[in-house]
Amino acid sequence: RKEVEQDPGPFNVPEGATVAFNCTYSNSASQSFFWYRQDCRKEPKLLMSVYSSGNEDGRFTAQLNRASQYISLLIRDSKLSDSATYLCVVRVSGGYNKLIFGAGTRLAVHP
Amino acid sequence: DAMVIQNPRYQVTQFGKPVTLSCSQTLNHNVMYWYQQKSSQAPKLLFHYYDKDFNNEADTPDNFQSRRPNTSFCFLDIRSPGLGDAAMYLCATNSGEGYEQYFGPGTRLTVT
């Protein structure tokens, strides 16, 4: 079983749509949670951290359910520029700030 | 200004011919990481350093070695590349205080 599991997609949505991605993680001792964005053939970049209380950054809302080991990302009013792969990431103990990445969910926003 | 630099961006090597990928950073971060990412897969951590303290992942093949001669530079050596080692290799850094990792643009390795 993968440590971080995501639906690979692709999610094909029109501009302006609301889209939600889900992620589950297997290590109950995971300490911190993030969403990274990766454009095609580019490096991953931090999109946002995910807090237990839920958090919002503009059109992006992230939620964490520790009991269910479940993380979500909601994107409202999708833009063409949101087209990318969204990686669910957890920080685990051991080492120095070790991150475990999901394989990502691909989003394609069309006009 | 580039903060995490990887050279070369594209590398072609022959089966079995040793290859070295390099990473440098201008962030003065304590922690440096090497990841392997194959197409449509998650970046997979190979090893990381806190300063000179080396941390190998249990499932990283012996074929992969790393060196960090100073804070700014870190190298990934693949001693005998196989076809299965063709991938994007990503270097990342972390300050050791916050959680964000800063990635370089990656080196895409082709093995012929």
Side-chain angles (χ1 to χ4, degrees):
Chain A
R1 182 185 174 190
K2 293 178 184 175
E3 291 193 63
V4 179
E5 301 226 39
Q6 298 182 247
D7 180 345
F11 285 60
N12 293 299
V13 303
E15 276 185 288
T18 295
V19 61
F21 305 140
N22 303 318
C23 163
T24 58
Y25 60 95
S26 61
N27 185 343
S28 60
S30 297
Q31 299 171 337
S32 307
F33 309 88
F34 311 91
W35 285 99
Y36 274 68
R37 170 188 169 136
Q38 186 171 26
D39 292 311
C40 187
R41 302 180 80 83
K42 296 287 184 73
E43 71 273 24
K45 292 184 180 178
L46 179 65
L47 177 67
M48 60 195 301
S49 301
V50 188
Y51 304 115
S52 297
S53 54
N55 51 296
E56 191 172 302
D57 182 1
R59 297 181 293 109
F60 298 84
T61 301
Q63 296 276 358
L64 167 65
N65 184 322
R66 281 189 183 267
S68 303
Q69 296 181 199
Y70 171 95
I71 306 163
S72 66
L73 177 67
L74 182 78
I75 305 176
R76 292 182 299 279
D77 188 23
S78 298
K79 311 292 185 192
L80 295 176
S81 57
D82 294 335
S83 298
T85 296
Y86 291 84
L87 304 170
C88 178
V89 185
V90 303
R91 184 173 71 91
V92 298
S93 61
Y96 299 98
N97 192 35
K98 267 184 59 171
L99 300 181
I100 305 297
F101 285 77
T105 298
R106 194 154 62 89
L107 172 66
V109 182
H110 58 82
Chain B
D1 291 338
M3 296 185 291
V4 184
I5 303 157
Q6 291 189 244
N7 286 306
R9 294 291 309 278
Y10 300 91
Q11 175 75 56
V12 180
T13 191
Q14 292 177 331
F15 182 95
K17 184 175 181 181
V19 65
T20 295
L21 310 182
S22 73
C23 176
S24 63
Q25 52 128 341
T26 60
L27 298 164
N28 202 35
H29 281 175
N30 293 320
V31 195
M32 293 187 78
Y33 309 82
W34 278 106
Y35 291 86
Q36 178 193 65
Q37 186 177 26
K38 297 186 178 180
S39 181
S40 301
Q41 296 186 23
K44 180 183 177 303
L45 183 64
L46 297 173
F47 22 61
H48 66 289
Y49 286 88
Y50 186 100
D51 290 333
K52 294 266 187 184
D53 182 19
F54 176 70
N55 296 264
N56 196 29
E57 293 303 295
D59 57 355
T60 297
D62 292 339
N63 196 27
F64 291 85
Q65 303 286 315
S66 184
R67 297 169 283 135
R68 189 178 185 188
N70 53 52
T71 300
S72 300
F73 285 87
C74 196
F75 299 98
L76 171 62
D77 300 309
I78 308 177
R79 294 194 293 192
S80 182
L83 298 179
D85 296 328
M88 172 79 88
Y89 289 88
L90 294 160
C91 173
T93 72
N94 171 259
S95 65
E97 297 174 359
Y99 298 142
E100 184 172 357
Q101 290 189 13
Y102 297 84
F103 283 82
T107 294
R108 187 166 294 279
L109 179 68
T110 300
V111 182
T112 61

